[in-house]
Amino acid sequence: MTTTPTGTTRHKHEAKRPEDEYLGVAPSIAYGLQHVLTMYGGIVAVPLIIGQAAGLAPAEIGVLIAAALFMGGLATLIQTIGFPFFGCQLPLVQGVSFASVATMIAIVVAGGGLPTVFGAVMASAAIGFLIAPIFSKVIKFLPPVVTGTIITTIGLTLMPVAARWAMGGNSKAEDFGSVANIGLAALTLALVLVLSKIGIAAVSRLSILLAMVIGTLFATAVGMADFSQVGNGPIFAFPQPFFFGAPVFDIAAIISMLIVVIVILTETTADIIAVGEIVDTEVDSKRIANGLRADMASSALAPIFGSFTQSAFAQNVGLVAVTGVKSRFVVAAGGVILVLLGLLPVMGRVVAAVPTAVLGGAGIVLFGTVAASGIRTLAKVEYHNNMNLVIVATSIGFGMIPIAAPTFYEHFPDWFETIFHSGISSAAIMAILLNLLFNHLKAGNVDQASVFVAGTNRILCERDVAVLNHGDHFVDGKLFNAEGEEVPIVPDNSPEANGISGQPASSH
């Protein structure tokens, strides 16, 4: 038990890894609820879309939503708590993947119905489970030039989601894009910024949640939020197995869904790497494999309760970066809340009453923080006399194509469109391939091989030269002072660099 500077008491065990810190029950629940509110709109959107496409009644769509919340919670617990061979043990929230929406709608429209969708999800997830260990080996081909590009693209591709939320969420609604909706989003954004600036650590870390609560209260006061329907419907309901019938296994549907699973594996790998960078913890191929297996096992189990493919939610990666709360037990608490929401539809109706514009205001900060984290990683990359700038430029540009022109690939084969319609998977594939081409297959590479490389001038920051004295000079890679005495150069993580030797350490 420790006492924070603000006088509050924090419970935690000695954690060798940042993500293993335990903050206590109350803080974990509060921060966990913040994660749930951040991803709630995304997790209920998929069952809403699929249910409408399948022509389901509102009560049946409610069953899909409850199943999505219940399975999202279970998948989150598996991913964060971890079991042997399952779960990356990182603060990652799981939920229904958007990547599968187009394919599932195509299956439903083709006449297969939800049973065929469920069968395709179960079979393709089982295959994904088998290839997860092989897929995880890609980690050795993911240096900072690749991971930074992927993380930046994750943040950028989520910005249209934040914009739609800020406009009201439903493009068919009369008030979509109204000044009132955007104004509510702007108020929420302003609250996040003001609360983040307050010098109380607990308030700053809960700035997203507090801003959403205050924004919702304001919206209620001015008639932009309606809680009158919260009491309509059952209070408790357990997801009924195979509510929509036994799964149907159709070969064509399974192949289509398998492409989606590959996209999900790519995106989840990117999210695991991204949150590992933000948490500042080691992520190796074994950890990625455990995370992917948890993803696929949850996806295979989900159709039993009436849900779909599960994957990590990128928007919650941004919340980890904004709040600085790295504990996986906080996200596990969010998983418990999701399970309860799935079992208690009344709680789900309360959260569903939060105006989408409020989510949009918070989303601008959250998603922008993901992109900023990627930019910070890219700042560590060496760009002098290599092709790294070309790799970053081309990959990010490639990833932005589906965002700038959503119909760009509509005349391509379905399998190609499914893979590259995701800006995240597009950027990830391009970054990995270009890194292999330029940094691993070096045959034919020459110094200053590109006009882009030639344009990257070498610079030094003030902090790099601030510790030098007049007369310091380099000879054969060694630093000497004006008297000709050698000045030791030590690694950044050495005791001398950290000031243990008694000399003030420089910042690099």
Side-chain angles (χ1 to χ4, degrees), residues 4-6 10 31 198-207 323:
T4 66
T6 61
R10 174 182 294 179
Y31 295 133
I198 291 177
I200 302 174
V203 173
S204 181
R205 285 185 164 191
L206 283 172
S207 59
T323 63

Side-chain angles (χ1 to χ4, degrees), residues 440-451:
H440 289 268
L441 305 176
K442 295 186 177 181
N445 285 7
V446 295
D447 191 33
Q448 302 290 352
S450 165
V451 64

Side-chain angles (χ1 to χ4, degrees), residues 164 167-177 356:
R164 286 194 296 271
M167 297 172 74
N170 182 6
S171 60
K172 296 181 180 179
E174 292 183 2
D175 64 346
F176 182 73
T356 308

Side-chain angles (χ1 to χ4, degrees), residues 59 88 142 185 239 291 308 313 352 404 432:
C88 64
L142 298 174
F308 313 106
F313 266 51
I432 292 171

